[in-house]
Amino acid sequence: MSLQAVLPDTISGLLGLEGVLGDVVGGLVGAFLVANIMLIMTAFAGPWAKRKITAAFGDRIAVNRIGPFGLLTIVTDAVRLLSKELIVPEGVDRPAWDLAPMVIPFSALLGFAVIPMGNGIQLADPETGLAFAFAAASIASLGIVMTGYASNNKFSLIGALRAVAANIAYEIPLVITAASVVIFAGSLRMSEIVAVQAEPLLSVAGVTIPTWFAFVNPFAFALFVIANLAEVGRNPFDIPEAPTEIVAGYQTEYSSVYFVLIYLGEFIHIFLGGAIAATLFLGGPAGPVLPGFVWFTIKIWAFFLFTQWARSAVPRLRVDQFLEIGWKGMLVLSFANLVLTAIIVGVIA
Amino acid sequence: MSLEEQQSDEPAELESGVSRGDELADLLGDLVVGREEHMNAPGLVIRPDEVQDALFKLRDEAGFDHLSCVTAQEYEDRYESIYHLTKFDDRTDEVSVVVPTSKDNPVSQSAEPVFRTADWHEREAYDLVGIQYEDHPDLRRILLPDTWQGHPLGLDYDQDRPQIATLREHANPLEEDHRAAGDSNTMYINIGPHHPATHGVLHVETVVDGEQVVDLDADIGYLHRCEEQMCQQGTYRHQIMPYPDRWDYISAGLLNEWAYARTAEDLADIDVPEYAQIIRTMGAELCRIASHMIALGTFALDVYGDFTAIFMYAMRDREIVQNILEDLTGQRMMFNYFRLGGVVWDLPEPREEFFEKVRDFLDGLPQALEEYHDMITSNEILQARTVGTGVLPPEVAKSYGATGPVARGSGIDYDLRRDDSYGYYDELDWDVVVEDGCDNFSRLLVRMREVEESAKIIQQCVDLLEDWPEDERNIQANVPRTLKPEEDTEIYRAVEGAKGELGIYIRADGTDKPARFKIRSPCFSNLQTLPEMSEGEYIPDMIASLGSLDIVLGEVDR
Amino acid sequence: MSSEQKPFVTDDTQVQTETRDARMAGADDRFNSKLREAFGSSPFILTKFDKFMNWVRGSSMFMLQFGIACCSIEMMHTYAIKHDLDRFAAGVPRASPRQADVIIVPGTIVSKFAPRMKRVYDQMPEPKFVVGMGSCTISGGPFQEGYNVIKGAEEVIPVDIHIPGCPPRPEALIYGIAKLQERIANGESSPVTVKPYELEQFGDLESDEIVDKLAAQIDEDDLVMRYNWADSP
């Protein structure tokens, strides 16, 4: 299958560079672009969209005085938080405490390296793209453990332990469910998974419905979205943070820049979750009329909206119920889904 | 009814009370060393070393299963603890067990083995008045810092002496009987006094084993604002009334004011005009709705985790109630609307507009409740979180003196509005809501259903007020400018506050200020049940149980 | 809220002068930056930068989710529907003091709580601001005569804005916060007050009757707060 050129190659091609230099420059510039795209989205999501969405669910208005629609809040919030005093509490485990806030956002950003965002925006397209995305995303939990352990705060520790438990319990169903897509697509390469979904499934009254796996196997899609919610730690699975139980969970002791980084990390993680879901189940950047990148953005924002909706409307589970659902429910269902998919695909093929 | 009738009931009650006193004195036999007469109940004087015998007998043989309150006070010549006993089945059957102790050796036997609720009540008595209780499992200060000097409600307390408060994390060693075989690894965490889920400034000293609560001790006193001292410094007629608003400050102001109004009116023998009683009833039920709305909102906050939709919706409905109350009283929260013998002013003019506003609210309420039921009680995750957690069996609830929605959520059919009726309640058609699930879910449900019942009451009050003849709108009885109840009259009266039985004990000393003013707060007793509900459960369940108790620290600490 | 469109104008020249004096005399260096020291009194870029920073701080604040007493109910109403404090970009309650800029002190402070409140205040990162809500934080309010009540929040932590009322209506709280934002945007800070009650180590207390009495109960290095009720206002 002939693959579209990845972004670094395009850039080095444009710049007329070749060889190692071209790879390095193209890679750096590409990574810079992708990272910034995601950071800009997060900047919109964190201080502004989240507040506006929550407010809309609660019949409020939220920020509207600072700039048009309160949009300048993004600037003020960011600058203010960055300019605040960075408190280093006594007794923190220094290297780990400083590293953790970097690990969390950067691991999530790393996951975007293999996501095809449409219009040729994809940093790399390795054969094991899907595995890489999952691997990168789960590094974030390492960061959370570091925050919890290093903070020297009991609430943080409980939060971190909860995050680990959550991650182990839900990572497996997540990956198993994704494996059912791989059986369909026959590849771990992200671009191929997207390409397979472009084929028409059926045509109703002139409108062609593509083989998005969300249509082919809605059950797997539902499983994946739920496991994904748990992955990104949003209601009903927001137990690692659980403000009314353990204050702010693993981020209790973090202020200023470090807090911004953790906060960013959380939102990038949500977007990464949305991006993987979109790639696996919603045809990636595919969609009519609008360019691919716009569709991709719409899809990940839809997932973001979904997380915020859940946050406003669904109670939080207790930690043992949460794990029970993970191990006894999600895991069994995802295996059942995998086996059934394998049988069906085997029979059809 | 019937205020006249009610008033004419009083002597009859008193009469039967006298005979009741003889009966009980016969039952206790030699244990009784003297007799007193309180306005609400016969008083039996018991020697300080025979308290448990007497209380066991009264509980097991005469059926007094509710230790409503323990009042401690210092006289010139003695200390005195009064145990106000009554029954969950028959609230009007009361008895006061009076235990005097000597001035130089104020030691009295603890009632804790008989009634679990005596634990905190006696700690408070020790803290504020200075009576020692023998046999008490854990007699230390409860409201004031451990390092406090002196007992502030004693007679010779010097308020100007310096004090020192520490910022020490209280050690809460794991109790022996909770320790697992081998050495389990436990962790001690402080939940509060500043914590998002403690509804104010409660400090819960928690020992956890992983996520499970092994041991728990609620540390209170972070909002002890000396309400009893304030009331003892105020004159009956005007200066006390503003303070009740600030006990249970969650807009239950009128309910609290009624507690004081009822006690002082009975003490000074004041009749309240019927019209004023209807206004009081309506206002009080509006307050109950406001209070239950916030209970709902903050419970959702505890279980959902953030200021989310449910919280906002509950606040929206509360705003409407607060607007109505503001029209009625002139204030949003601290109403100061009741006066002894009536209320301060009539309904706002134009009356039609006010009635319309109330009716609009009542018409919209079923739909709002429907919405809450859709969003909260029928949500499966919420049911998974609340059904079967925070279980409080009725016997335990009774032993701790739990009242209000907490007791009614445990299947105890006990509501002062019906059982010891006051105001206009017995003329109206409404039901006491009881759920027998004993868990967090039933307590939530009780509150939501009580809102419906309150709406029913308000509806009837509005109908009555609308048709009331214009020349009979008497809002205030004749009350002397200065009230000076006779010396040594003692009374304990309670009303059904938003959180339960809110009682007040007043001893008059012949001046225009009370000599002892004791507040029996429902939250104080209800909060005591928290360890029973939460030990062995998970941290989130403990938080949910705390939310379902719906405590107000202003009332717990007073 | 930018400084151009001030809805509530009062006479702030006086305050500004006082603030400037305090700043230059070194009595109050909350708005003094290292850069200012390095570059002299008021170079153009730095003042513009200062102005920008002040605008930023005034236009965005996270509140500490901190409830004490009656006023906290009105505070919740201020966050919630109808009043919606978040319109002024000041309505995100954070549970952890490390992430908060403003602490609204909503209620009576009593002897047991004052050390804890001081601790929470200390845990907040600079620059931090305090809004004293209600009469109790001004003077002890209706409970001033109580044996256990601190006569105002200012005895323990510095307060930037006092909002009178018992409790203040949500509108009043919004006004107070808008006023605080305006002051921050103008670069004014409140004069730092002398706080009679401080957290100190027990061993550092001067020996007197009560200290001697408690010496057996309290360790030398325990943090304590000593209340001199007789000297309270």
Side-chain angles (χ1 to χ4, degrees):
Chain A
M1 195 184 284
S2 79
L3 291 168
Q4 216 179 348
V6 291
L7 188 61
D9 293 349
T10 321
I11 292 167
S12 56
L14 279 176
L15 294 174
L17 297 168
E18 273 174 27
V20 180
L21 184 68
D23 284 352
V24 170
V25 172
L28 284 178
V29 173
F32 181 78
L33 282 178
V34 169
N36 271 300
I37 291 168
M38 291 328 295
L39 285 176
I40 289 168
M41 280 198 203
T42 320
F44 267 96
W48 187 77
K50 179 192 165 201
R51 271 150 100 165
K52 281 292 199 188
I53 293 169
T54 314
F57 280 119
D59 266 6
R60 289 186 298 128
I61 303 170
V63 278
N64 68 348
R65 302 293 163 111
I66 323 289
F69 305 106
L71 271 170
L72 278 183
T73 322
I74 298 167
V75 179
T76 55
D77 264 8
V79 175
R80 173 191 46 102
L81 275 169
L82 294 176
S83 74
K84 289 213 73 147
E85 179 190 6
L86 179 64
I87 295 179
V88 183
E90 214 178 326
V92 297
D93 198 342
R94 222 24 222 283
W97 197 76
D98 295 316
L99 278 175
M102 294 170 213
V103 171
I104 295 171
F106 293 135
S107 66
L109 273 180
L110 208 55
F112 279 99
V114 294
I115 304 283
M117 301 189 192
N119 301 52
I121 307 178
Q122 186 181 13
L123 283 179
D125 195 13
E127 249 168 74
T128 52
L130 186 59
F132 174 82
F134 281 126
S138 22
I139 297 176
S141 23
L142 181 68
I144 293 178
V145 176
M146 281 158 77
T147 58
Y149 163 75
S151 286
N152 192 24
N153 179 314
K154 290 164 184 170
F155 291 118
S156 301
L157 185 62
I158 295 177
L161 293 178
R162 284 178 173 194
V164 179
N167 240 299
I168 297 173
Y170 282 79
E171 192 91 345
I172 300 172
L174 192 73
V175 174
I176 302 283
T177 316
S180 74
V181 171
V182 175
I183 291 178
F184 268 118
S187 169
L188 284 170
R189 197 188 284 269
M190 294 299 235
S191 57
E192 270 175 41
I193 295 175
V194 171
V196 169
Q197 293 182 65
E199 284 156 31
L201 178 68
L202 68 163
S203 187
V204 183
V207 181
T208 311
I209 296 175
T211 33
W212 290 4
F213 291 120
F215 300 144
V216 177
N217 190 353
F219 178 65
F221 181 58
L223 270 181
F224 189 84
V225 168
I226 293 171
N228 219 342
L229 264 185
E231 260 305 285
V232 301
R234 280 294 171 266
N235 266 13
F237 309 116
D238 75 331
I239 55 158
E241 262 183 81
T244 45
E245 290 160 21
I246 47 175
V247 191
Y250 55 87
Q251 43 174 289
T252 304
E253 288 289 352
Y254 282 92
S255 61
S256 186
V257 187
Y258 287 174
F259 169 64
V260 175
L261 284 173
I262 293 178
Y263 203 69
L264 272 184
E266 261 178 53
F267 281 91
I268 300 175
H269 211 95
I270 296 177
F271 282 129
L272 179 62
I276 296 177
T279 311
L280 288 183
F281 288 96
L282 300 174
V289 188
L290 297 170
F293 182 69
V294 177
W295 272 110
F296 177 76
T297 313
I298 291 174
K299 283 167 190 169
I300 61 174
W301 274 84
F303 181 72
F304 176 71
L305 186 68
F306 176 72
T307 60
Q308 295 304 310
W309 181 20
R311 179 173 170 274
S312 278
V314 187
R316 177 196 305 137
L317 280 164
R318 202 171 61 208
V319 58
D320 64 315
Q321 293 168 337
F322 170 71
L323 296 178
E324 213 158 274
I325 291 173
W327 287 113
K328 294 187 189 161
M330 299 289 292
L331 190 63
V332 176
L333 287 177
S334 60
F335 268 112
N337 171 51
L338 182 69
V339 171
L340 280 178
T341 315
I343 292 172
I344 291 170
V345 170
V347 168
I348 291 172
Chain B
M1 143 141 222
S2 75
L3 287 157
E4 294 79 68
E5 268 174 64
Q6 196 190 13
Q7 287 305 327
S8 62
D9 278 355
E10 287 285 327
E13 242 177 54
L14 220 61
E15 243 164 63
S16 68
V18 171
S19 64
R20 183 72 180 148
D22 289 338
E23 244 174 76
L24 294 171
D26 288 346
L27 176 75
L28 294 184
D30 291 343
L31 291 171
V32 179
V33 294
R35 293 283 296 274
E36 272 184 24
E37 210 48 64
H38 295 179
M39 283 187 78
N40 61 313
L44 308 173
V45 182
I46 305 286
R47 284 166 51 86
D49 52 354
E50 286 170 343
V51 177
Q52 285 178 12
D53 289 347
L55 291 181
F56 268 124
K57 255 192 173 154
L58 283 172
R59 187 189 75 181
D60 298 336
E61 288 169 35
F64 286 98
D65 55 354
H66 180 27
L67 174 58
S68 181
C69 181
V70 180
T71 305
Q73 52 187 332
E74 187 178 358
Y75 285 89
E76 289 300 332
D77 58 339
R78 65 178 192 279
Y79 285 97
E80 197 177 274
S81 327
I82 307 175
Y83 296 87
H84 302 278
L85 294 177
T86 178
K87 295 174 178 172
F88 277 104
D89 295 334
D90 179 8
R91 179 61 177 78
T92 49
D93 194 4
E94 295 175 67
V95 63
S96 306
V97 174
V98 183
V99 186
T101 49
S102 70
K103 200 86 183 189
D104 42 338
N105 184 25
V107 181
S108 172
Q109 206 175 24
S110 168
E112 199 272 342
V114 195
F115 297 101
R116 305 286 299 277
T117 184
D119 182 354
W120 278 22
H121 282 279
E122 285 176 350
R123 273 176 70 189
E124 186 194 324
Y126 162 71
D127 191 358
L128 299 185
V129 182
I131 302 175
Q132 309 269 347
Y133 291 91
E134 222 174 27
D135 215 10
H136 189 283
D138 184 21
L139 193 66
R140 58 197 160 90
R141 287 188 182 272
I142 184 166
L143 295 176
L144 293 168
D146 288 339
T147 49
W148 201 262
Q149 301 296 307
H151 302 278
L153 293 184
L155 290 179
D156 55 352
Y157 180 71
D158 173 16
Q159 202 177 318
D160 282 343
R161 71 190 297 182
Q163 299 282 359
I164 289 178
T166 59
L167 179 80
R168 182 173 34 189
E169 285 172 359
H170 303 246
N172 185 16
L174 194 58
E175 279 171 33
E176 283 295 325
D177 53 334
H178 291 300
R179 195 169 292 169
D183 206 16
S184 68
N185 294 315
T186 56
M187 179 162 79
Y188 171 70
I189 53 175
N190 280 301
I191 297 182
H194 157 66
H195 186 277
T198 49
H199 295 222
V201 283
L202 173 68
H203 176 200
V204 186
E205 301 167 353
T206 323
V207 178
V208 289
D209 182 1
E211 284 271 350
Q212 269 171 319
V213 177
V214 186
D215 189 20
L216 176 152
D217 189 11
D219 177 27
I220 60 173
Y222 294 95
L223 193 55
H224 175 53
R225 311 192 270 195
C226 330
E227 303 267 13
E228 287 173 11
Q229 183 204 19
M230 291 295 113
C231 291
Q232 278 164 217
Q233 287 174 1
T235 55
Y236 290 108
R237 184 72 205 278
H238 291 301
Q239 292 180 346
I240 294 178
M241 197 55 98
Y243 285 100
D245 285 321
R246 291 164 178 80
W247 302 340
D248 175 358
Y249 47 72
I250 303 194
S251 257
L254 293 181
L255 296 155
N256 301 355
E257 283 174 25
W258 208 338
Y260 171 64
R262 185 179 189 207
T263 315
E265 279 156 10
D266 282 358
L267 183 72
D269 197 17
I270 301 167
D271 292 343
V272 184
E274 205 172 338
Y275 180 70
Q277 290 284 34
I278 301 176
I279 297 181
R280 281 183 175 188
T281 311
M282 181 186 68
E285 291 308 310
L286 282 168
C287 283
R288 197 181 306 278
I289 291 182
S291 178
H292 283 352
M293 281 298 166
I294 222 170
L296 186 74
T298 49
F299 184 69
L301 180 65
D302 289 345
V303 178
Y304 283 64
D306 229 321
F307 291 96
T308 52
I310 311 287
F311 177 79
M312 294 298 167
Y313 291 172
M315 291 309 249
R316 175 197 63 195
D317 287 332
R318 226 182 95 90
E319 280 284 352
I320 304 173
V321 185
Q322 278 196 320
N323 284 344
I324 296 174
L325 283 167
E326 191 183 350
D327 285 351
L328 180 67
T329 65
Q331 240 280 29
R332 275 170 64 90
M333 280 173 67
M334 306 302 169
F335 308 112
N336 194 14
Y337 178 64
F338 285 14
R339 291 290 179 272
L340 300 187
V343 294
V344 62
W345 44 59
D346 201 352
L347 302 179
E349 296 288 346
R351 290 163 70 92
E352 292 71 35
E353 216 169 273
F354 177 74
F355 289 134
E356 201 180 319
K357 211 169 169 183
V358 180
R359 281 190 202 284
D360 279 353
F361 166 65
L362 294 177
D363 291 344
L365 200 59
Q367 203 197 338
L369 285 170
E370 190 66 26
E371 197 175 20
Y372 292 132
H373 280 298
D374 283 350
M375 282 195 78
I376 311 180
T377 47
S378 54
N379 184 317
E380 278 210 21
I381 296 178
L382 187 110
Q383 287 178 5
R385 278 297 305 276
T386 54
V387 174
T389 61
V391 176
L392 184 69
E395 309 80 52
V396 180
K398 281 181 178 178
S399 174
Y400 277 106
T403 49
V406 177
R408 290 195 285 275
S410 288
I412 302 171
D413 189 5
Y414 180 73
D415 190 325
L416 262 70
R417 288 175 290 173
R418 181 200 59 199
D419 298 342
D420 181 18
S421 196
Y422 55 96
Y424 212 70
Y425 287 113
D426 53 356
E427 297 292 300
L428 303 172
D429 176 33
W430 59 282
D431 296 313
V432 176
V433 176
V434 181
E435 290 279 338
D436 41 18
C438 307
D439 52 14
N440 292 338
F441 190 65
S442 336
R443 289 188 280 275
L444 177 70
L445 225 50
V446 164
R447 293 207 176 85
M448 290 182 68
R449 287 178 52 200
E450 268 184 19
V451 169
E452 287 170 40
E453 294 299 324
S454 296
K456 249 166 91 186
I457 297 176
I458 297 167
Q459 182 80 51
Q460 295 169 47
C461 289
V462 171
D463 290 345
L464 283 168
L465 290 171
E466 220 166 17
D467 301 336
W468 208 263
E470 201 166 342
D471 46 352
E472 286 173 36
R473 290 182 196 157
N474 184 10
I475 55 161
Q476 175 75 46
N478 283 331
V479 180
R481 184 174 293 265
T482 319
L483 283 179
K484 286 186 180 172
E486 276 172 50
E487 199 175 342
D488 272 335
T489 37
E490 296 172 52
I491 186 165
Y492 174 73
R493 276 262 180 268
V495 299
E496 183 73 23
K499 320 284 191 252
E501 180 176 336
L502 176 63
I504 291 173
Y505 165 87
I506 296 179
R507 174 167 65 86
D509 61 353
T511 63
D512 59 351
K513 294 173 182 173
R516 178 79 173 100
F517 190 100
K518 160 83 189 163
I519 307 156
R520 187 265 185 211
S521 115
C523 294
F524 185 74
S525 298
N526 290 352
L527 180 58
Q528 272 193 79
T529 60
L530 184 63
E532 291 283 343
M533 292 182 189
S534 320
E535 281 177 14
E537 303 264 358
Y538 291 89
I539 299 177
D541 280 343
M542 191 270 278
I543 299 290
S545 302
L546 188 59
S548 80
L549 281 177
D550 186 25
I551 50 159
V552 182
L553 269 300
E555 199 176 55
V556 173
D557 296 344
R558 284 152 291 144
Chain C
M1 198 179 296
S2 75
S3 51
E4 276 79 40
Q5 27 168 241
K6 279 184 284 188
F8 336 104
V9 180
T10 51
D11 177 27
D12 32 60
T13 45
Q14 177 67 23
V15 187
Q16 240 169 346
T17 321
E18 275 177 11
T19 313
R20 193 171 55 232
D21 289 349
R23 189 157 66 200
M24 286 163 82
D28 174 11
D29 58 355
R30 248 201 280 185
F31 286 92
N32 278 348
S33 53
K34 286 253 161 62
L35 283 173
R36 188 199 287 279
E37 278 167 30
F39 283 82
S41 63
S42 59
F44 176 76
I45 294 173
L46 288 189
T47 44
K48 283 292 166 226
F49 182 69
D50 260 11
K51 216 168 177 174
F52 172 70
M53 287 309 292
N54 287 338
W55 170 74
V56 160
R57 282 172 187 150
S59 318
S60 142
M61 32 183 69
F62 283 178
M63 309 314 231
L64 182 64
Q65 194 177 338
F66 187 69
I68 303 180
C70 333
C71 290
S72 52
I73 305 296
E74 287 296 58
M75 189 177 75
M76 278 156 65
H77 274 275
T78 318
Y79 288 134
I81 284 186
K82 186 174 173 188
H83 300 292
D84 192 11
L85 189 57
D86 204 19
R87 287 176 298 150
F88 299 85
V92 178
R94 294 298 312 180
S96 168
R98 300 271 189 235
Q99 293 137 22
D101 308 290
V102 179
I103 173 174
I104 302 179
V105 184
T108 321
I109 303 142
V110 302
S111 66
K112 205 170 172 179
F113 191 60
R116 273 85 181 166
M117 188 178 75
K118 172 79 178 143
R119 175 48 69 88
V120 169
Y121 174 77
D122 288 344
Q123 283 170 341
M124 289 167 55
E126 293 278 0
K128 52 192 165 188
F129 306 96
V130 182
V131 177
M133 185 183 179
S135 305
C136 290
T137 58
I138 295 173
S139 64
F143 306 101
Q144 199 194 18
E145 289 163 22
Y147 48 82
N148 192 28
V149 175
I150 310 293
K151 286 35 170 181
E154 217 146 32
E155 309 265 300
V156 185
I157 58 177
V159 178
D160 292 84
I161 292 272
H162 283 293
I163 303 166
C166 189
R169 299 174 61 91
E171 293 88 333
L173 180 59
I174 292 180
Y175 176 78
I177 286 172
K179 207 71 195 160
L180 174 69
Q181 293 186 331
E182 193 188 313
R183 292 185 61 135
I184 298 171
N186 289 344
E188 302 158 13
S189 68
S190 342
V192 173
T193 48
V194 180
K195 295 165 283 170
Y197 300 149
E198 267 291 358
L199 275 179
E200 46 202 333
Q201 290 197 335
F202 185 69
D204 296 344
L205 289 181
E206 265 178 59
S207 169
D208 62 8
E209 190 195 347
I210 179 164
V211 172
D212 294 342
K213 207 165 170 184
L214 288 170
Q217 275 184 56
I218 308 177
D219 285 344
E220 285 279 298
D221 46 2
D222 267 350
L223 288 175
V224 297
M225 205 174 253
R226 186 179 189 282
Y227 303 108
N228 300 314
W229 298 120
D231 303 336
S232 286

